[in-house]
Amino acid sequence: MLNSLSDTARTILISAANNPQISLATSIAQECESHHKAQAAIHELTSFGLIVPNVDGGFDFRDSNTIDAVRQSDAIPLGIATS
């Protein structure tokens, strides 16, 4: 599934999954230099059901299984993952 994401959305997701001390909001801010790019990435990640809005107005991973799957997918070399 990660291969279906844009480079920006994939980078945000992998960064946040592999660095639990960094929030999704921080990961988005670090990767997106414009509001438009951030909104597009958020839309993409919520459309895929990978992140959900939280009660504080930010975003969270859908669940811990999502985080684990992202981490495992990131550990597989891209050529093998698409074969």
Side-chain angles (χ1 to χ4, degrees):
M1 177 186 289
L2 291 180
N3 296 340
S4 300
L5 296 172
S6 68
D7 290 341
T8 301
R10 185 173 43 256
T11 300
I12 291 166
L13 201 65
I14 290 169
S15 175
N18 289 326
N19 300 296
Q21 69 278 9
I22 297 175
S23 70
L24 271 167
T26 299
S27 186
I28 291 166
Q30 289 174 344
E31 182 62 25
C32 299
E33 65 274 352
S34 71
H35 178 74
H36 175 73
K37 191 172 184 178
Q39 288 299 312
I42 291 167
H43 176 73
E44 184 176 2
L45 293 169
T46 56
S47 294
F48 272 86
L50 297 169
I51 65 171
V52 294
N54 69 24
V55 294
D56 297 327
F59 292 90
D60 291 319
F61 282 97
R62 182 183 63 206
D63 54 32
S64 61
N65 291 333
T66 302
I67 297 169
D68 292 339
V70 170
R71 287 178 182 156
Q72 289 174 1
S73 294
D74 184 44
I76 299 170
L78 192 56
I80 294 172
T82 58
S83 299

